[in-house]
Amino acid sequence: HEICVSHTNKENLVLRAALDPSAVSVIPNAVDTVRFKPDPSQRPEAPTVNIVVVSRLTYRKGVDLLVDAVPEICRKHPHVNWVIGGDGPK
């Protein structure tokens, strides 16, 4: 039995590996809300928006698209702050 983190991932796996869809389950990535409880008092004042991206920094994950989009978003929306974390060849 195979496990995927999204329905799109499942569809790709089923098609590419010629698997029976009933042999593949989806268990989405999730945040443990018992362990992670943001403190609302620490939020920035409006209209500031913080965007946090945590990912494997690889072409396959689309980090090149993110890098291309960030400057344009910052030009159009100067109140946006970015925190990007991860590891990889990029």
Side-chain angles (χ1 to χ4, degrees), residues 7-86:
H7 291 284
T8 301
N9 186 238
K10 175 182 175 175
E11 290 172 11
N12 286 333
L13 180 64
V14 167
L15 287 173
R16 291 174 187 229
L19 297 175
D20 177 353
S22 65
V24 182
S25 296
V26 175
I27 302 175
N29 291 329
V31 173
D32 183 347
T33 58
V34 172
R35 295 182 64 190
F36 178 73
K37 291 190 183 257
D39 181 354
S41 71
Q42 298 297 312
R43 290 183 182 155
E45 292 185 25
T48 300
V49 174
N50 292 330
I51 299 177
V52 179
V53 178
V54 179
S55 176
R56 188 167 31 95
L57 302 177
T58 64
Y59 179 81
R60 183 178 180 111
K61 294 291 247 176
V63 72
D64 57 316
L65 302 174
L66 176 65
V67 168
D68 288 345
V70 167
E72 182 68 19
I73 293 168
C74 289
R75 271 192 294 281
K76 290 182 178 179
H77 307 281
H79 59 278
V80 172
N81 296 322
W82 295 86
V83 177
I84 300 173

